[in-house]
Amino acid sequence: MIELRNIKRQFGQTTVLEDISLTVENGSFTTLLGASGSGKSTTLRIIAGLDTPTSGSVMINGQDVTQAPAAARNIAMVFQSYALYPHMDVRGNITLPLAMRNMNRLERAPLLNKLLPSARQKAQNHQEQVESIARMLEIEHLLARKPSQLSGGQKQRVAMGRALVRDPVAFLLDEPLSNLDAKLRGQMRGELIDLHKRTGKTFIYVTHDQAEAMSMSDQIAIFMHGVIVQKGTPHDLYERPATKEVAAFIGDHPINFIECSVEGNVVRGPLGIFVLDEAVSCQNVVIGVRPEVMELSSETAVNGKVERVEYFGSKATASLSLSNGQMIQVVLEDTSTLPETGSACGLSFELSRAHVFDAQTGLRLDVKVAACVQDAAAE
Amino acid sequence: MATVTTPMLPRRVHNALTDLALVGPATLAMLCLIFVPAVLVAVLSFTDYQFGAKAFNWIGLENYVELFTDRTGKRAVFNTLYYAAIVIPCSMILSLLVAMGVHQVASWNKTCANIFRTSFFLPVAATLVAMATVWEMLLHPTLGLVNIVLDMIGIGGERWLSDRKLVLTTLAAIGVWETVGYNMVLFLAGLASIPRHLYEAAEIDGADRGWERFWTVTWPMLGPTTLFVMVITATRSFRVFETVATLTKGGPAFASDTLVYAMYREGFIYFKAGYASAITMVFFIFVFALTMLKVVVAERKVHYR
Ligand SMILES: Nc1ncnc2c1ncn2[C@@H]1O[C@H](COP(=O)(O)OP(=O)(O)OP(=O)(O)O)[C@@H](O)[C@H]1O
Ligand SMILES: [Mg+2]
């Protein structure tokens, strides 16, 4: 189990991480998700031992390793830039961590290693391990190449190989797929999931791509400006986002936010008048409705005008403008008949799947939209 | 139908002419100023021509034979190689150490590192002839600071510049002092360009102590820089001249005579243009061999392609 306890990291005057606490269970796949500059890499480097926190502690299996050097933590890391040693061939790159751990200086010395029986024995042993890893990653035919002769995807596999070869406590991966093209990224994503299943190791994965995070993780921690705003399963994050920002970050389609005024439990806004299941104390709320739970409907009164329709094959999205000028996105599951651009439409949504946020603080309010009393055009 | 106007010249010829117009002048200048004189020197090296003489004789390889068999000639070649054999490794090792030190210091104090860097670079920026005067004063057998200090700590001083056994080593030491700053700057640039991620990967892989770090990342990544520094230092030490000319004039008894100084003496004092040309050619071959070495090794080995 890897635990971060109240980690704070400052560079000079700027605070990059503020009170980060996170527990990563053994064997889990945990993703640190956040926009660029939110402090994900810094957190990962602190776990790896490449950086020390200003305050707070890092625990690995109950031991405080905050001050321990990286090599003593037995953690493997795959860098975004792969960081392969350019002067070594693939075999050398994958063997290095083994040689560093299992051999002494004499056994590693360039000429001596051919003479020492212990070195020969170990080298033989390492070669077998390297080859079995290479077979698993399907890079056997590349073992004699230099990193400069590899494609991005192949480099990525070699970097994985270097991490896998030494049976570490955990794998840290810093945006390992971000340099690959979309198709290869999808494929590698699948392979990483398989790899995680097969090895049963702890994976800590950094990405800014929410789709990657959602599809791979057991646990996601969302980083924003150096704090974890929410952690939970992908399902939790999608269904119960803790803040407006999380709701906006998660999901394939950007969520629609509808500003409404509220009195007790009655909400008035551009989509109509709704009743909440409990009264709230704030004056304004924002209702978040994902495009995929909205529908164009002929039953409700007309309240939007279709401005744009985008067709993707399996689905389509429509952008509608409301009477107050706000744009709303709707995912159309049924692509057999698409609405005309310029036509007027009614809008409805699954009430129970709408999220209610305090307009001022952006925090989630623990209430549900219970009923629609009146839709907009009828007002 | 739109008609395409046929150019007066075929496209390929036109392009070729353009290229010629662009490279032509520079090539011509290079031919006139470098290639022709070089060929002239090569030709002269097979003659007994003297400056101002009205005629000369072809004497074949005699100048070369003299250079490699005559005592003074052999001395000059040997001395140059001896000088280079000290300066190249000493200067490279020293400058690498200094560069790593300064690089290390720069990570916690920029100002401090800048002071170090500037002071090591000073010999490069200063005129060597002026510096040679300073060295002459420092190394003076009775009045020089070096011997005074050595006396004080109880070690007898030496006649640094007039002892035949010592003079070349003294010059080589000055040569090291003179080149370390420049090489250090080159190594510093090399060190700065090593990606930080490689060090971090090495740290994670267990190569986190100084020695392992050096052999896993620093040394291999400095490959191109090291080769460049080596060629530069070698070229500079092969053409050592200023210190010899100002401090020893090749003496005592030719003990510090070097190729370029011999060339200068034979050509400009004794006006033996033919012999001086032969020395020039030998010098040229040294430098050419070095350049070839750089090209061959660099493209294969140090860029890891
Ligand atoms: N050594 C440093 N000195 C000063 N500031 C730093 C340093 N390292 C990181 N930072 C700052 O810390 C913040 C977080 O950086 P970090 O690399 O953790 O972001 P990230 O979430 O990984 O972003 P990205 O997705 O772009 O990689 C950034 O604003 C960055 O400028
Ligand atoms: Mg990062």
Side-chain angles (χ1 to χ4, degrees), chain A residues 37 40-42 80 174-175 206:
Chain A
K40 310 172 301 274
S41 296
T42 309
Q80 180 172 353
D174 194 351
E175 309 205 18
V206 163

Side-chain angles (χ1 to χ4, degrees), chain A residues 88-99:
Chain A
M88 295 181 187
D89 58 11
V90 169
R91 187 187 295 277
N93 267 283
I94 303 181
T95 316
L96 186 93
L98 289 176

